[in-house]
Amino acid sequence: MIKVNRNYLKLKSSYLFSEISKRVASFEAASPGTPIIKLGIGDVTLPLPRACIDALHRAVGELAEKETFKGYGPEQGYEFLREAIAAEDFRSRGARVSADEIFVSDGAKCDTANFQELFSNDIRVAIPDPVYPVYLDTNVMAGRTGQAINGRYEGIAYLECTRENGFVPGLPEEPVDLVYLCFPNNPTGATITREALAAWVRYARENRALILFDAAYEVFIRDPGLPRSIFEIDGAREVAVEFRSFSKTAGFTGTRCAYTVVPRDCFAFDDSGEKHSLHALWNRRQTTKFNGVSYPVQRAAQAALSGEGKAEVASLVDYYLNNARHVRERMAALGFACTGGENSPYIWVNAGMGSWEFFDLLLEKAGVVCTPGAGFGKCGEGYVRISAFNDFDRVQEAMERIGRALAV
Ligand code: PLP
């Protein structure tokens, strides 16, 4: 008899997006002719930068000729892309990261999901609440938790992100070994200051802990005082791994390219205290389970880091940031306390009522779809997330509809 992995049975069903679709479908059936505006999704809406499209075409042309054809590439990514990333994303900002510390992949989702494989099952894991669900669910799948009781898995150290701490978690009161941090944050849109991030790096150094830093939204940071990489913080190279993605920067959500930085100075320890290089372990993992990102996609990612590509990415990001500013200003004018929407594409709105109650109100009275905060964790109850990934005229119309709906 084939037996199931019982850890999978502990997972709460991914109720959030299916429940949203269900409620939207039943509203549409009841009110045909009311066009719905979706501000719930974290997917981009603008096309790829021209520089990336041109690079894709050129690379496809190379695959068509025997002389320039490419088969399997290096599992870690082509040198041309790893070099461009090290130079443009790190060295240009004074962060010491070398090309061979960059592992190119097809998504920050799979990298943030897979990285925990390198660690023992008896480590103590700290996960923010609310959170991008991948970090939590993959630790459940791996067997690092007990059952979910009242929306919380046994064995996880939850880092509560609340209005009181500005949605930036304080240091844990109990010792933890692995910490997930994400800034700019999904779902709260919060950013972290250099000082607060430095405190986390100090904590990790003092406790021989490791920080998994998800910087998928770093390109939205416009405030020059905010860190865009954890490697801008002194001492982080020994205690942090960083995840980045071209998804929300150059619009690669469907094209798929991301990368993970694993410094050669990072180690995990065995029972006798002997250290093991995380770089070597991740390399072993990737070369065993992954066969690289396609050549044309890596050429397109390289183009996103060229002068022309960077200018186009900046204008894509400007567009979404303008949407975000509009949402934030309109919701604030209606009396809602908001976080994010500056240096971030997400606006976290204090609904003043239950998450789902507010979701239903916006859907039924305004035909606008947001994401209920409760779907991201216990501390998300009472909030909704509004995404800036949409066309400006739709965002504008959504805000007008919400204004009218709440005025009556
Ligand atoms: N990390 C965070 C915080 C995200 O919100 C997302 C996507 O929404 C990802 C990672 C996934 O990125 P990718 O498209 O590279 O898999």
Side-chain angles (χ1 to χ4, degrees):
M1 181 177 66
I2 178 73
K3 281 201 172 175
V4 67
N5 175 347
R6 274 179 293 145
N7 296 318
Y8 275 63
L9 307 182
K10 296 176 194 162
L11 290 167
K12 289 179 285 154
S13 62
S14 73
Y15 156 84
L16 179 63
F17 289 101
S18 59
E19 181 63 24
I20 291 175
S21 310
K22 212 166 81 189
R23 292 190 191 203
V24 170
S26 76
F27 173 77
E28 280 176 324
S31 323
T34 311
I36 284 186
I37 303 179
K38 291 187 177 161
L39 297 182
I41 328 158
D43 197 359
V44 297
T45 52
L46 296 174
L48 295 184
R50 193 69 238 168
C52 300
I53 293 293
D54 291 344
L56 273 172
H57 281 304
R58 276 194 305 272
V60 169
E62 286 181 58
L63 298 185
E65 305 297 331
K66 190 160 194 327
E67 295 69 35
T68 48
F69 170 76
K70 303 275 185 299
Y72 289 124
E75 291 99 335
Q76 303 82 353
Y78 282 102
E79 205 51 35
F80 61 77
L81 179 55
R82 300 171 90 196
E83 280 293 349
I85 291 168
E88 299 302 329
D89 284 351
F90 296 98
R91 283 203 295 277
S92 68
R93 297 190 55 82
R96 193 160 57 86
V97 168
S98 62
D100 70 356
E101 293 174 318
I102 290 158
F103 292 82
V104 175
S105 79
D106 60 0
K109 184 178 197 172
C110 37
D111 286 355
T112 54
N114 292 331
F115 210 84
Q116 49 75 31
E117 269 183 46
L118 305 190
F119 309 112
S120 163
N121 260 21
D122 58 6
I123 58 166
R124 185 87 172 144
V125 183
I127 296 186
D129 175 5
V131 74
Y132 175 57
V134 172
Y135 319 147
L136 186 57
D137 287 358
T138 52
N139 275 285
V140 176
M141 291 169 173
R144 282 195 194 90
T145 73
Q147 299 296 334
I149 297 169
N150 288 332
R152 289 263 165 109
Y153 288 99
E154 295 170 316
I156 293 289
Y158 285 91
L159 302 171
E160 298 203 339
C161 302
T162 61
R163 198 163 28 150
E164 287 68 35
N165 60 24
F167 303 98
V168 177
L171 301 176
E173 276 152 27
E174 49 180 327
V176 298
D177 307 303
L178 185 67
V179 181
Y180 289 82
L181 293 178
C182 171
F183 291 105
N185 190 265
N186 177 14
T188 69
T191 51
I192 192 165
T193 62
R194 202 169 284 278
E195 296 68 35
L197 192 53
W200 273 105
V201 168
R202 257 195 321 276
Y203 173 88
R205 293 177 68 90
E206 283 161 10
N207 292 277
R208 290 173 118 191
L210 183 79
I211 300 171
L212 297 183
F213 190 74
D214 186 343
Y217 297 95
E218 59 77 31
V219 75
F220 289 88
I221 294 177
R222 286 294 160 83
D223 178 342
L226 293 172
R228 286 173 66 164
S229 165
I230 197 167
F231 300 119
E232 292 174 36
I233 308 294
D234 283 343
R237 280 183 53 86
E238 290 81 14
V239 292
V241 164
E242 183 165 301
F243 304 97
R244 293 252 189 134
S245 173
F246 290 91
S247 283
K248 310 296 164 74
T249 62
F252 274 45
T253 51
T255 308
R256 311 304 301 146
C257 196
Y259 63 89
T260 292
V261 182
V262 190
R264 287 192 179 272
D265 305 342
C266 262
F267 297 93
F269 302 87
D270 65 23
D271 287 340
S272 53
E274 200 178 317
K275 60 186 195 180
H276 300 268
S277 157
L278 284 188
H279 186 279
L281 290 168
W282 185 243
N283 192 52
R284 185 73 174 84
R285 191 267 171 211
Q286 290 298 80
T287 51
T288 302
K289 296 195 179 182
F290 182 61
N291 246 344
V293 176
S294 77
Y295 174 72
V297 167
Q298 292 195 59
R299 281 292 183 200
Q302 177 193 25
L305 297 168
S306 67
E308 189 195 343
K310 280 196 292 191
E312 291 179 275
V313 166
S315 76
L316 290 180
V317 171
D318 280 344
Y319 184 88
Y320 296 127
L321 281 174
N322 186 51
N323 289 350
R325 183 169 45 244
H326 186 70
V327 171
R328 188 182 165 118
E329 284 174 4
R330 299 302 303 152
M331 293 307 287
L334 292 170
F336 294 98
C338 299
T339 308
E342 290 165 331
N343 304 300
S344 160
Y346 297 123
I347 302 92
W348 189 240
V349 180
N350 187 338
M353 61 180 86
S355 289
W356 282 105
E357 197 185 338
F358 194 62
F359 171 89
D360 286 337
L361 180 75
L362 295 192
L363 177 62
E364 285 157 22
K365 298 268 190 300
V368 172
V369 180
C370 62
T371 312
F376 297 100
K378 227 175 171 170
C379 293
E381 178 53 274
Y383 293 86
V384 296
R385 186 192 77 176
I386 299 183
S387 159
F389 293 118
N390 214 318
D391 298 338
F392 182 67
D393 53 356
R394 308 232 75 205
V395 170
Q396 216 172 9
E397 192 191 331
M399 290 303 122
E400 278 166 20
R401 287 196 204 168
I402 292 174
R404 279 198 300 273
L406 298 180
V408 283

